[in-house]
Amino acid sequence: MRPVELRLSGLHSYREEQVVDFAALCAHGIFGIFGATGSGKSTLLDAIILALFGEVPRASHGTQGIINQRLDEARVAFTFDLGRGAERRRYRVERVLRRSGEFGAATARCRLVLLDGPAERVLAEKDGQVKGALREIVGLNASDFTRAVVLPQGRFAEFLTLTPALRREMMERLFELERFGEKLRQRTDAALGEAQEALGRVRAEQEGLGNCSPAAVAQARRELEASRAAARQAGDAYRAALRRREEAAAVVQLQERRDAYRRRLAELEGREAEVALLEAKLGAAERAEGLRSLLEQQDRLQEDLFRRRELLAALARREEEAAAAAARAAEEAAARRRHRATEEPRLVEERG
């Protein structure tokens, strides 16, 4: 991490905004912060830690009494570079803390910004998100940062006196060795588990073997040969039993087929009367088949007779209608003659 710029106001004795240009200070590779006791040297380090982690290690509960007594809020903005060469990135973390109670302070606003030239991209805007993002980017928590990067007054001895376990954990986080340590621990735990499991199997086999003296081994060999001979005899008996079982199964299958045939024969014998009746019906059907042509001819003659009768009836109706028409015509002619007979004397009279 290389500091670029720090802005702070309202923090401890700094009421007005103060700007520290670390880019100019770091131009020669190293710089110092000097001043009398109480001049505010440690406050600059507090501002950096506060911007990154939202707390001040030397303050009670991390935030007690850090805001200037005449103000109600404090502001910090820390810009820094991280990475090397083409992978170097510039970030700015901003925080606004407001007074909470008489001496307390709480983060009101904060955000983490990625600076890419004139462009800015906000990476996080809430306290928890900012802390999580910085934990991923920087790779250190507040405790590690104050032990390895910024050592407040009187804390160097604490770093040197850390227990080996705490120092190992801090170095793992500092140099990103956690994943290697975790993988190594997993591999050693797996190897230990496999070794213990194998040892348990060996011990169980040893307990199962019991007496392993030459006499016991010889006796075990004799018993093994006897067991093998018994196994061969049992195998022969088993195979013979299998053959007998197959033969018995074949006999059972034949018996089942015989019983099925017997049941079928009984069923057919029970239908003998039905078959005789069907045969009689079949004979009658065959005899009737010879009469089918005569019956069909009779049907045709009956149909022809019916048609002829209908034709004769129609002719009779036409003759009756013709006779009736002739009778009506004769009546009409007679009526006309009578009418003329009555009309002629009247005409003679009129002429006379």
Side-chain angles (χ1 to χ4, degrees):
M1 174 186 289
R2 179 181 290 271
V4 177
E5 183 186 78
L6 174 66
R7 293 177 177 268
L8 69 154
S9 64
L11 187 66
H12 292 309
S13 59
Y14 293 104
R15 295 177 55 190
E16 304 296 332
E17 183 181 57
Q18 306 294 323
V19 180
V20 180
D21 185 2
F22 288 107
L25 294 175
C26 294
H28 301 289
I30 189 172
F31 65 91
I33 301 176
F34 303 96
T37 301
S39 60
K41 302 184 298 297
S42 297
T43 301
L44 300 179
L45 302 181
D46 292 342
I48 294 175
I49 300 173
L50 178 63
L52 293 173
F53 304 104
E55 61 183 48
V56 176
R58 63 180 181 140
S60 176
H61 301 291
T63 57
Q64 291 288 324
I66 62 174
I67 297 180
N68 188 277
Q69 294 181 359
R70 297 185 179 183
L71 300 176
D72 292 327
E73 69 175 24
R75 296 174 178 266
V76 289
F78 179 52
T79 304
F80 61 94
D81 290 343
L82 200 65
R84 294 183 178 180
E87 297 181 356
R88 174 168 292 189
R89 298 289 183 271
R90 178 163 292 185
Y91 303 90
R92 184 176 69 245
V93 57
E94 305 169 354
R95 286 185 183 272
V96 177
L97 292 92
R98 290 180 180 166
R99 189 177 301 280
S100 175
E102 185 176 359
F103 298 104
T107 298
R109 294 193 307 273
C110 65
R111 67 173 187 165
L112 176 64
V113 180
L114 174 64
L115 304 176
D116 187 7
E120 296 185 0
R121 180 161 64 94
V122 178
L123 302 180
E125 288 187 300
K126 293 183 179 181
D127 187 27
Q129 295 175 356
V130 169
K131 289 179 180 178
L134 285 170
R135 175 67 175 84
E136 295 294 328
I137 293 171
V138 179
L140 298 174
N141 57 29
S143 178
D144 295 340
F145 190 81
T146 56
R147 288 169 177 168
V149 179
V150 177
L151 292 175
Q153 297 178 10
R155 298 292 294 275
F156 184 72
E158 179 183 347
F159 171 74
L160 297 178
T161 57
L162 285 175
T163 63
L166 293 177
R167 189 180 298 114
R168 184 186 68 249
E169 292 177 0
M170 189 193 73
M171 297 304 291
E172 285 179 355
R173 290 191 293 270
L174 181 62
F175 296 103
E176 298 183 353
L177 300 176
E178 296 168 304
R179 59 184 185 276
F180 302 108
E182 181 63 21
K183 290 182 179 178
L184 180 60
R185 184 188 64 78
Q186 293 176 355
R187 291 177 60 184
T188 54
D189 290 346
L192 177 60
E194 293 176 357
Q196 290 177 344
E197 184 178 355
L199 178 60
R201 290 196 298 269
V202 171
R203 287 177 176 174
E205 292 176 359
Q206 288 179 346
E207 293 177 357
L209 292 175
N211 187 5
C212 297
S213 63
V217 172
Q219 178 63 27
R221 286 177 178 173
R222 290 191 293 271
E223 293 177 355
L224 176 61
E225 292 299 328
S227 298
R228 286 176 177 174
R232 288 192 293 271
Q233 293 177 359
D236 295 339
Y238 174 71
R239 287 186 288 273
L242 285 179
R243 288 193 297 272
R244 292 194 298 272
R245 179 178 178 276
E246 292 175 356
E247 294 172 357
V251 171
V252 170
Q253 186 177 7
L254 291 174
Q255 290 176 348
E256 290 177 351
R257 293 178 60 185
R258 181 199 62 190
D259 294 341
Y261 289 145
R262 286 178 176 177
R263 289 191 296 271
R264 181 59 178 168
L265 178 60
E267 182 181 354
L268 294 176
E269 290 176 349
R271 298 181 60 184
E272 185 175 358
E274 181 182 354
V275 172
L277 179 60
L278 292 175
E279 289 178 350
K281 290 182 178 180
L282 179 61
E286 291 176 350
R287 291 190 297 273
E289 185 66 22
L291 301 174
R292 177 180 295 180
S293 60
L294 296 175
L295 293 174
E296 291 177 351
Q297 184 177 4
Q298 180 183 1
D299 292 338
R300 288 194 296 272
L301 291 173
Q302 287 180 350
E303 290 178 359
D304 184 61
L305 177 61
F306 180 74
R307 287 195 298 272
R308 290 178 181 275
R309 286 177 178 176
E310 288 183 346
L311 181 59
L312 289 174
L315 291 174
R317 285 193 300 272
R318 285 197 292 271
E319 288 178 357
E320 290 177 357
E321 291 174 356
R328 286 193 301 273
E331 290 179 358
E332 290 176 355
R336 284 194 297 272
R337 285 195 298 270
R338 287 192 301 270
H339 180 71
R340 284 196 300 271
T342 57
E343 290 293 329
E344 287 179 358
R346 186 180 301 173
L347 181 61
V348 172
E349 291 176 359
E350 289 177 356
R351 286 179 179 176

